[in-house]
Amino acid sequence: MAKEELQHIKKEIEKEMNHLRDLYNKINYMERKEEPERYRIKKLEEHLRRKYPGLNVDKSLLRLVGTMSYNHPSKDKQIIRQAVSELYGK
């Protein structure tokens, strides 16, 4: 009887873990959907801090480098101008 009870408890824990994992994924999806740029910057910053714990991260620089989706090189100047104008005003 103890084996059956143990199996039941393991199944319940697995169900709960799957449920929590689903909720966590849902939260991540909602964060990415609502604020994709902020989410990308946050993830990149976390990655850099894990790799280089003492690194001072400049979020405004991360916005310009490494977080933008791929754009054709011919649009680089336009994208950088837009980011700088948003940061410092037009």
Side-chain angles (χ1 to χ4, degrees):
M1 186 145 150
K3 265 188 165 181
E4 291 173 4
E5 190 175 346
L6 190 59
Q7 289 293 355
H8 175 72
I9 293 171
K10 284 182 179 182
K11 284 182 183 180
E12 289 297 314
I13 290 172
E14 187 176 339
K15 264 199 259 181
E16 291 300 319
M17 288 175 65
N18 288 334
H19 178 69
L20 290 173
R21 191 176 302 112
D22 290 343
L23 288 175
Y24 182 76
N25 289 336
K26 190 174 188 177
I27 288 171
N28 281 335
Y29 172 77
M30 291 170 70
E31 286 177 344
R32 285 190 306 256
K33 185 177 177 185
E34 289 178 10
E35 299 177 281
E37 182 180 34
R38 184 172 158 221
Y39 177 79
R40 287 192 306 264
I41 289 172
K42 180 182 168 189
K43 287 296 181 185
L44 182 56
E45 182 180 6
E46 288 172 0
H47 174 74
L48 289 172
R49 287 194 190 280
R50 277 193 304 271
K51 196 169 183 178
Y52 308 101
L55 183 67
N56 185 12
V57 178
D58 182 353
K59 290 181 185 179
S60 62
L61 182 61
L62 287 182
R63 186 171 181 273
L64 292 173
V65 180
T67 63
M68 294 182 165
S69 55
Y70 175 77
N71 294 300
H72 194 274
S74 66
K75 293 188 175 191
D76 283 350
K77 286 182 183 179
Q78 175 188 355
I79 292 167
I80 291 172
R81 281 186 191 125
Q82 180 183 355
V84 169
S85 70
E86 287 174 11
L87 184 63
Y88 296 106
K90 292 183 179 183

